[in-house]
Amino acid sequence: TFRDAVPREDVPALYRTADIVLVPLRAVPLFRSFIPSKMFEILACGRPILAALEGEAAEILRASGAALVVPPEDVDALAKALARLVADPALRSELASRGRPYVAGHFDRRQLASRYFKILETVVRAAPARAL
């Protein structure tokens, strides 16, 4: 189903209605370092992901245990992975159950902000005092 744009606050509810959520990226070198923010929203919503991408985003999704990842633009691999997910409700359920705990444990914004703040404090303390 293709829908018109929806307000940002409606997106989580929309994700929760999906049996499988697709996260595709083109096979472009720049995208190897690109991480779609929707990945984290989908993981937090507890939905299984079928991803066609590579690089850091693929590593995150594999580590989450909440996604099947295929190479970008590999239509055959994408079709096979989709058929597998459609045919196996237990697999979809297993993937879905892993997303929220993974993203909460590794990508909580408050925890990340606290870690970055501590790093910045360390850098500032280590820097020599400069006269203005």
Side-chain angles (χ1 to χ4, degrees):
T1 301
F2 290 89
R3 299 179 53 123
D4 291 332
V6 297
R8 182 157 181 72
E9 60 272 7
D10 293 348
V11 172
L14 189 59
Y15 284 142
R16 286 187 202 101
T17 67
D19 294 317
I20 302 161
V21 182
L22 179 65
V23 178
L25 288 180
R26 303 274 324 254
V28 176
L30 174 66
F31 287 166
R32 289 186 191 126
S33 61
F34 181 75
I35 303 172
S37 61
K38 68 181 171 182
M39 286 178 9
F40 302 105
E41 295 171 347
I42 298 163
L43 290 168
C45 287
R47 305 314 310 143
I49 296 174
L50 173 53
L53 41 71
E54 58 191 348
E56 191 171 356
E59 291 172 21
I60 290 168
L61 289 175
R62 284 188 186 103
S64 77
L68 295 185
V69 179
V70 300
E73 300 185 35
D74 186 335
V75 176
D76 291 334
L78 186 64
K80 286 178 186 173
L82 180 58
R84 180 178 173 205
L85 287 169
V86 167
D88 193 343
L91 175 60
R92 290 195 312 269
S93 180
E94 183 179 328
L95 296 175
S97 72
R98 295 175 181 162
R100 187 169 185 82
Y102 180 80
V103 80
H106 293 84
F107 294 97
D108 178 87
R109 287 183 178 176
R110 287 186 189 106
Q111 290 177 9
L112 291 174
S114 177
R115 284 181 26 212
Y116 290 142
F117 185 75
K118 288 176 184 173
I119 291 168
L120 289 173
E121 280 183 323
T122 302
V123 170
V124 168
R125 280 191 208 117
R130 294 182 193 209
L132 296 177

